[in-house]
Amino acid sequence: MLIGNAIVYASLAVIAMNGEAFPSVLDGVVWLTVGSTVVARRVDITRWAGKTASGEPATLAHWRRYALTVVSLTALASVLAHVIGGSPAS
């Protein structure tokens, strides 16, 4: 998840700095990475007895909250990156 977050942050930073048009290849990288991290977390919970940050067993309720949070915050950050870069997402 750490590597996935780093890829998302770096991609959004480049979008903001370079004013990438929407949609761009970097938007694809962002959403492919988000999808991959959400799927990886589900596999972690269902197959490998994933834990929460506090060390408790994670449940699918935790996963749903994680997925909703990641998707929502990434969507907001993507819009902001495009606005900052001068190319508003449409």
Side-chain angles (χ1 to χ4, degrees):
M1 289 188 316
L2 181 65
I3 292 169
N5 289 338
I7 292 169
V8 169
Y9 297 146
S11 298
L12 291 174
V14 171
I15 289 170
M17 290 187 304
N18 293 344
E20 299 286 331
F22 180 82
S24 70
V25 171
L26 287 174
D27 289 302
V29 170
V30 166
W31 290 106
L32 181 63
T33 304
V34 166
S36 297
T37 60
V38 168
V39 169
R41 181 63 175 145
R42 184 176 175 103
V43 170
D44 177 44
I45 291 169
T46 59
R47 302 278 187 226
W48 298 319
K51 305 267 186 226
T52 65
S54 60
E56 299 172 9
T59 65
L60 288 179
H62 291 112
W63 175 79
R64 282 189 291 276
R65 187 173 39 232
Y66 167 77
L68 180 62
T69 301
V70 169
V71 169
S72 299
L73 290 178
T74 302
L76 177 61
S78 180
V79 169
L80 288 174
H82 281 285
V83 168
I84 290 167
S87 173
S90 37

